[in-house]
C-alpha cells in the first residue's frame, strides 16, 4: 500500500514535458518568418495580456471585464515615459510595470469582496473610468487623436525598431518567454497552489491558514504588472497609443482569448491568442462584415462543449505520443507521468 | 493539566436572538471532550466564534492563555487551532496530495514562497505520506478530490485539519452522512488521534460521543447547561429531559 513515492509525485509535476519544449521551439522558430513578424508581434503581446488575465481568472478565480485598464495604463505610461523622460525601451517597460503594479495594488482592494457579478462590475467600472480620464486629459494623452510623437531608442542600445517588426517581434517574444517562465514558477510554488485553493473554496482556504485577502491582493497586483508590460510592448512596438487600449472591446477580447485557449492553464492564454488572431484573420478574410458572428458562434460552442476540452485534448495527444514513443524505442521510464491505476 | 482552549463570558447576539449566552468553557490539554446539544442550541455558532469566522458581541477566547479573540481564522490556524466542517469544505480540483501539502506549507509559514516548487521543502513529502497513511488516503493521493468516494472525502476533511499540526482540533460531526460501511475508518481515525492534540467533538451521534469523549458539555439555548464525565451526563435527569429524552432515549 505505501509503495506510493510521495517525493516523486510532488516534484514530477513541474518538470518540463516535451510538448512544452516543442511549443517554445516553434515559437522561436517563427523568427525565421520575416513576412509575418508584424502579426506575430501582435500575437505575442496578446498572449502576454491573456496570460495576465489567466493568472487572476483561471488560477485565483477573480473574474474581470476590465482588464484593459492595466493594458491601457501600461501603454500610456510607456508612451509618456518615452516622450518626456527617456526613450530607452527597457526603462520604459520597467516604468510601466511599476506604475501598473501600484494601480493594481490600489484597485485590488475593490475586488476582494463580493460576488462574481460585483467583481465584473467593479473591474468594468475602473476600465471605463480610466478610459474617460484618458479621453478628457487630451493635453497629456492626446485624447481621441491618440498619443503621438513617440520615438523609441535602440533596444539595448543596439537594435533599432524597424518597419518590418523584426526587432519588435524578437523583443516581445523574449519578454513573453521570460515572464512566462516566472509565471510558471509561481504557479508551481506554494503560493500558486494556495491561489487554486482560494478559487476552489475560500472558506476552507482560510481554515487551513491561508491569508486569503493578502494572496488575492498579491496576485492581482502581479497580474496588473503583466498586463502593464503587455501595454508597454504595444506602445513601444507601434510607437502610438490610441484610446482603444482602454476600451471594453480589449477587455472582452482578452476574456475570449482565455476562454478559447482554456482557463487555469498557463498555455491557455498563449494558445488562445494564436487561435484568436488566426480566427480573426481567417474569418474576416472569408466574410469581412460578419466575423464577429462567427466568433460569437465559436464562443457559444466552446462554452457548451466545456472550457477545459482543448486542454484535455492536448493531454491525450501528449499521452498517446509519449506511449508510442516509448513502445517504439522500447524504453520504459518506470512509472513516469503515464502511471495510472 | 494545562488549559488548551478557554472562553470567558462569550456572547453572540444576532438582532434579538442571543445565540451564545455567557459561555465560559475550558478545554484541557489532551482532552477528549464532546459538545452536545439539541438542534438550534448554538453549537455551530460557538464553533464559528472559537475559530474566528464571526466575532463575538462580548467575551474572550484564549488559546493556551493567549487572547485570540481578535485574530482572523487563518491567524488562529497558524497558532494551532484547526477545525473540520460538518459539510465537507474541500478543494474539488486539487488532489489529496496537494491539499495536505498546502495545509502543511501554510503551517510552516512558507505559503508566501512563490519561487520555490511546492513540495520541495525538506521533510514535507514524508510528513504528507505519514498523514495520508494515518487517514487511509494513500491509495487515492493523486486523484482529484471531487471524484473521491464520500467516505474518503470525509477522511480527507479531518486529515487536512490534522495536517495543519493543530494543538487544538475541533471536529464538527466527523461522521455526518457517512454510510455504515465506511463509518469504521472514520471512527478509527478519530480514535487514533494522538494525545498531543486536544480534541473538541461537536456531535449528534450519541454512540460516537459516549465511545470517544471523556468529558461532555451540554449546550442548550446558547448557554452551558451541564458538564461532566460521560457517566454523569448519561445519568443526569435534566440532560435526559432536554436532550436524550426527545432524541428517542433507548
Amino acid at each position: 500500500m505505501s509503495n506510493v513515492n510521495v517525493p516523486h509525485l510532488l516534484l514530477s509535476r513541474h518538470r518540463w514535458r516535451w510538448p512544452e519544449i516543442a511549443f517554445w521551439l516553434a515559437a522561436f522558430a517563427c523568427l525565421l518568418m520575416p513576412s509575418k513578424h508584424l502579426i506575430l508581434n501582435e500575437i505575442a503581446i496578446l498572449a502576454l495580456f491573456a496570460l495576465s488575465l489567466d493568472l487572476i481568472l483561471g488560477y485565483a478565480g477573480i473574474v474581470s471585464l476590465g482588464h484593459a485598464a492595466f493594458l491601457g495604463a501600461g501603454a500610456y505610461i510607456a508612451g509618456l515615459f518615452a516622450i518626456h523622460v527617456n526613450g530607452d525601451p527597457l526603462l520604459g517597460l520597467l516604468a510601466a510595470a511599476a506604475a501598473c503594479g501600484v494601480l493594481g495594488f490600489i484597485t485590488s482592494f475593490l475586488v476582494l469582496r463580493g460576488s462574481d457579478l460585483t467583481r465584473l462590475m467593479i473591474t468594468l467600472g475602473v476600465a471605463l473610468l480610466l478610459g474617460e480620464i484618458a479621453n478628457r486629459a487630451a493635453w497629456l494623452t492626446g485624447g481621441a487623436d491618440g498619443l503621438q510623437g513617440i520615438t523609441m531608442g535602440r533596444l539595448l542600445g543596439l537594435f533599432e525598431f524597424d518597419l518590418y517588426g523584426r526587432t519588435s517581434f524578437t523583443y516581445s517574444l523574449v519578454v513573453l518567454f521570460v515572464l512566462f517562465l516566472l509565471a510558471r514558477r509561481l504557479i508551481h510554488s506554494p503560493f500558486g497552489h494556495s491561489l487554486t485553493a482560494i478559487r476552489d473554496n475560500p472558506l476552507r482556504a482560510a481554515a487551513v491558514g491561508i491569508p486569503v485577502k493578502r494572496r488575492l491582493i498579491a496576485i492581482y497586483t502581479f497580474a496588473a504588472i503583466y498586463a502593464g508590460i503587455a501595454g508597454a510592448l504595444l506602445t513601444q512596438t507601434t510607437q502610438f497609443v490610441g484610446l482603444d487600449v482602454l476600451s471594453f472591446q480589449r477587455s472582452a477580447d482578452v476574456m475570449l482569448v482565455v476562454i478559447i485557449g482554456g482557463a487555469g492553464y498557463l498555455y491557455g492564454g498563449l494558445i488562445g491568442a494564436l487561435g484568436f488572431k488566426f480566427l480573426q484573420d481567417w474569418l474576416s478574410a472569408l466574410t469581412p462584415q460578419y466575423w464577429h458572428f462567427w466568433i460569437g458562434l465559436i464562443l457559444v460552442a466552446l462554452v457548451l462543449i466545456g472550457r477545459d476540452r482543448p486542454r484535455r485534448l492536448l493531454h491525450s495527444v501528449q499521452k498517446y505520443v509519449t506511449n508510442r514513443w516509448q513502445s517504439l524505442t522500447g524504453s520504459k521510464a518506470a512509472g513516469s507521468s503515464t502511471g495510472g491505476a | 493539566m494545562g488549559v488548551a482552549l478557554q472562553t470567558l463570558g462569550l456572547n453572540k447576539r444576532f438582532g434579538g436572538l442571543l445565540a451564545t449566552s455567557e459561555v465560559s468553557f475550558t478545554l484541557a490539554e489532551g482532552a477528549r471532550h464532546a459538545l452536545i446539544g439539541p438542534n438550534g442550541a448554538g453549537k455551530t455558532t460557538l464553533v464559528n466564534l472559537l475559530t474566528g469566522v464571526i466575532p463575538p458581541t462580548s467575551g474572550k477566547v484564549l488559546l493556551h492563555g493567549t487572547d485570540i479573540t481578535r485574530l482572523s481564522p487563518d491567524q488562529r490556524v497558524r497558532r494551532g487551532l484547526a477545525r473540520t466542517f460538518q459539510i465537507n469544505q474541500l478543494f474539488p480540483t486539487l488532489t489529496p496530495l496537494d491539499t495536505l501539502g498546502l495545509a502543511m506549507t501554510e503551517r510552516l509559514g512558507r505559503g508566501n514562497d512563490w519561487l520555490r516548487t511546492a513540495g520541495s521543502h525538506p521533510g514535507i513529502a514524508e510528513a504528507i505520506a505519514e498523514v495520508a497513511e494515518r487517514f487511509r488516503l494513500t491509495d487515492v493521493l493523486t486523484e482529484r478530490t471531487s471524484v473521491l468516494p464520500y467516505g474518503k472525502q470525509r477522511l480527507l476533511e479531518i486529515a487536512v485539519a490534522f495536517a495543519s499540526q493543530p494543538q487544538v482540533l475541533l471536529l464538527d460531526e466527523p461522521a455526518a452522512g457517512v454510510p455504515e460501511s465506511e463509518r469504521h475508518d472514520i471512527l478509527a481515525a478519530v480514535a487514533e488521534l494522538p494525545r498531543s492534540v486536544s480534541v473538541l467533538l461537536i456531535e449528534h451521534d450519541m454512540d460516537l460521543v459516549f465511545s470517544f469523549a471523556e468529558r461532555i458539555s451540554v449546550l442548550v439555548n446558547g448557554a452551558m447547561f451541564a458538564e461532566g464525565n460521560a457517566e454523569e451526563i448519561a445519568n443526569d435527569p435534566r440532560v435526559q429531559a432536554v436532550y436524550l429524552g426527545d432524541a428517542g432515549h433507548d
Side-chain angles (χ1 to χ4, degrees):
Chain A
M1 185 109 153
S2 60
N3 59 355
V4 179
N5 185 346
V6 176
H8 172 79
L9 287 174
L10 272 176
L11 297 173
S12 64
R13 282 166 307 173
H14 77 287
R15 283 203 197 108
W16 283 80
R17 306 199 191 290
W18 67 262
E20 290 192 81
I21 296 167
F23 179 92
W24 286 106
L25 284 177
F28 278 96
C30 288
L31 288 170
L32 303 173
M33 300 161 61
S35 65
K36 299 275 183 211
H37 279 169
L38 288 172
I39 178 108
L40 285 167
N41 180 50
E42 280 180 45
I43 293 175
I45 292 171
L46 183 60
L48 179 59
F49 187 30
L51 176 63
S52 162
L53 180 65
D54 198 19
L55 284 174
I56 58 163
L57 175 70
Y59 287 95
I62 303 172
V63 286
S64 169
L65 256 187
H67 210 49
F70 304 117
L71 179 88
Y76 275 108
I77 297 288
L80 293 169
F81 187 86
I83 293 171
H84 301 293
V85 185
N86 192 312
D88 184 76
L90 291 178
L91 281 181
L93 215 57
L94 285 179
C100 287
V102 173
L103 184 64
F105 178 75
I106 294 168
T107 50
S108 72
F109 291 89
L110 302 173
V111 298
L112 283 181
R113 284 169 181 282
S115 62
D116 284 351
L117 183 65
T118 317
R119 286 170 167 175
L120 282 177
M121 290 306 115
I122 285 173
T123 49
L124 180 62
V126 169
L128 289 175
L129 214 109
L130 287 185
E132 202 48 45
I133 290 174
N135 186 26
R136 290 286 158 169
W139 56 273
L140 184 68
T141 62
D145 296 333
L147 185 62
Q148 293 173 16
I150 301 167
T151 39
M152 295 311 300
R154 290 163 180 258
L155 184 59
L156 298 169
L158 295 172
F159 307 101
E160 199 163 355
F161 286 96
D162 54 299
L163 278 177
Y164 312 101
R166 183 186 173 79
T167 307
S168 297
F169 175 52
T170 315
Y171 176 42
S172 298
L173 185 61
V174 170
V175 170
L176 172 66
F177 183 59
V178 170
L179 292 182
F180 175 85
L181 290 181
L182 196 63
R184 194 177 183 281
R185 266 251 118 133
L186 180 135
I187 287 316
H188 290 295
S189 73
F191 177 87
H193 281 208
S194 73
L195 295 178
T196 318
I198 292 169
R199 182 197 66 195
D200 270 12
N201 190 339
L203 176 68
R204 188 56 184 254
V208 298
I210 298 171
V212 173
K213 285 182 187 168
R214 264 192 290 165
R215 296 283 156 86
L216 289 180
I217 291 170
I219 193 62
Y220 200 74
T221 305
F222 193 83
I225 291 172
Y226 268 43
I229 292 176
L233 286 176
L234 196 62
T235 300
Q236 295 177 346
T237 57
T238 58
Q239 317 214 342
F240 174 77
V241 189
L243 270 181
D244 73 293
V245 289
L246 285 163
S247 68
F248 173 70
Q249 188 70 45
R250 289 268 185 188
S251 299
D253 280 354
V254 75
M255 178 83 96
L256 266 176
V257 167
V258 172
I259 300 297
I260 289 174
Y265 149 65
L266 281 175
Y267 287 90
L270 313 197
I271 293 169
L274 204 64
F276 181 80
K277 280 285 175 193
F278 175 76
L279 281 174
Q280 192 179 31
D281 235 38
W282 180 58
L283 292 174
S284 58
L286 214 64
T287 50
Q289 301 93 320
Y290 307 125
W291 94 273
H292 267 110
F293 171 85
W294 297 111
I295 270 281
L297 191 71
I298 289 166
L299 178 67
V300 171
L302 264 177
V303 174
L304 286 181
I305 296 168
R307 278 179 296 166
D308 59 342
R309 274 304 148 80
R311 174 191 182 173
R312 272 193 263 157
L313 186 74
L314 213 75
H315 261 273
S316 38
V317 170
Q318 180 193 334
K319 256 190 187 166
Y320 175 76
V321 178
T322 309
N323 285 343
R324 285 304 295 261
W325 178 254
Q326 282 178 355
S327 64
L328 277 177
T329 57
S331 78
K332 284 216 166 136
S336 77
S337 72
T338 47
Chain B
M1 245 197 299
V3 173
L5 185 68
Q6 193 176 17
T7 67
L8 298 173
L10 211 55
N11 284 299
K12 180 66 191 180
R13 184 178 286 282
F14 292 114
L17 174 76
L18 197 57
T20 303
S21 164
E22 284 300 319
V23 170
S24 294
F25 158 84
T26 302
L27 182 74
E29 271 175 15
R32 293 293 178 266
H33 199 135
L35 178 69
I36 63 173
N39 276 328
K43 300 190 293 287
T44 303
T45 304
L46 186 55
V47 171
N48 285 339
L49 289 173
L50 292 175
T51 53
V53 175
I54 51 174
T57 310
S58 64
K60 279 183 182 173
V61 181
L62 309 177
L63 182 66
H64 290 290
T66 313
D67 190 346
I68 58 164
T69 317
R70 296 190 183 286
L71 298 187
S72 64
D74 55 282
Q75 285 173 320
R76 295 182 196 209
V77 177
R78 292 197 295 275
R79 297 274 182 111
L81 173 63
R83 72 174 292 188
T84 68
F85 292 82
Q86 188 183 337
I87 297 162
N88 281 341
Q89 296 290 343
L90 298 168
F91 308 118
T93 68
L94 296 185
T95 61
L97 179 72
D98 286 332
T99 308
L100 296 176
L102 198 67
M104 285 178 187
T105 312
E106 292 298 336
R107 186 65 165 100
L108 290 168
R110 307 193 69 92
N112 258 325
D113 199 334
W114 61 282
L115 285 176
R116 221 177 307 246
T117 307
S120 62
H121 188 69
I124 203 161
E126 292 74 16
I128 292 173
E130 205 182 300
V131 174
E133 193 73 25
R134 173 182 280 276
F135 289 94
R136 296 145 178 88
L137 291 166
T138 309
D139 53 332
V140 294
L141 263 183
T142 55
E143 288 182 40
R144 273 165 76 107
T145 298
S146 57
V147 303
L148 297 183
Y150 185 73
K152 290 283 185 192
Q153 291 194 11
R154 217 53 205 144
L155 280 165
L156 181 58
E157 177 72 36
I158 308 170
V160 186
F162 186 77
S164 304
Q165 295 162 26
Q167 290 148 347
V168 176
L169 179 59
L170 311 182
L171 295 175
D172 197 352
E173 299 196 24
V178 178
E180 204 53 43
S181 55
E182 295 172 59
R183 250 176 101 80
H184 172 78
D185 277 351
I186 291 172
L187 301 189
V190 170
E192 286 163 15
L193 288 169
R195 276 284 164 174
S196 55
V197 182
S198 319
V199 181
L200 179 65
L201 173 73
I202 295 92
E203 189 51 80
H204 253 321
D205 183 328
M206 284 303 133
D207 290 340
L208 179 50
V209 167
F210 286 117
S211 70
F212 174 81
E214 290 155 1
R215 223 172 156 70
I216 299 174
S217 294
V218 186
L219 198 66
V220 177
N221 291 330
M224 275 302 168
F225 182 75
E227 189 183 320
N229 63 33
E231 200 181 338
E232 286 164 7
I233 294 298
N235 296 325
D236 187 330
R238 293 184 312 145
V239 173
Q240 286 174 2
V242 298
Y243 189 81
L244 300 175
D246 63 354
H249 182 218
D250 55 337

